[in-house]
Amino acid sequence: MVEDIAPPEQKTTVSEEITHSKWCPKCKKIVCSRTEKALPGSDIGLNATIEIAYLWVMSALSLPKIQDLVRSFQALELSTAGSRR
């Protein structure tokens, strides 16, 4: 099977996204702004997504093992539905 890939666009659009983090005295946590430009509909970032994909595909780790690693090293609760801090 041979598939043609469409050539890239001649003009590339680069945009800068600035996120702000602030301390919330009410809930005693750092609250960050979210963007829909980077990963629309996602609740984890690109680096975490790449790392999880690498652990799953290249290291052949199961979801429970990946969840344990992410919980231990990134303090992130990961489930099949998404993530929670």
Side-chain angles (χ1 to χ4, degrees):
M1 178 187 282
V2 177
E3 293 183 20
D4 286 335
I5 299 173
E9 294 183 24
Q10 295 299 326
K11 185 177 179 184
T12 303
T13 304
V14 177
S15 61
E16 181 180 9
E17 189 70 29
I18 299 172
T19 59
H20 298 281
S21 300
K22 302 210 178 204
W23 174 256
C24 176
K26 194 177 213 179
C27 65
K28 306 279 192 251
K29 292 182 181 179
I30 294 178
V31 181
C32 300
S33 60
R34 293 188 177 221
T35 179
E36 288 293 318
K37 288 183 180 179
L39 292 170
S42 178
D43 55 354
I44 60 174
L46 181 61
N47 288 340
T49 302
I50 291 170
E51 183 180 354
I52 291 167
Y54 177 82
L55 291 171
W56 180 49
V57 175
M58 299 303 290
S59 301
L61 292 179
S62 64
L63 180 60
K65 284 287 186 191
I66 293 172
Q67 287 172 323
D68 289 342
L69 282 170
V70 171
R71 186 180 308 115
S72 298
F73 293 107
Q74 297 175 349
L76 185 66
E77 192 69 33
L78 186 67
S79 72
T80 55
S83 68
R84 289 177 280 148
R85 278 238 180 243

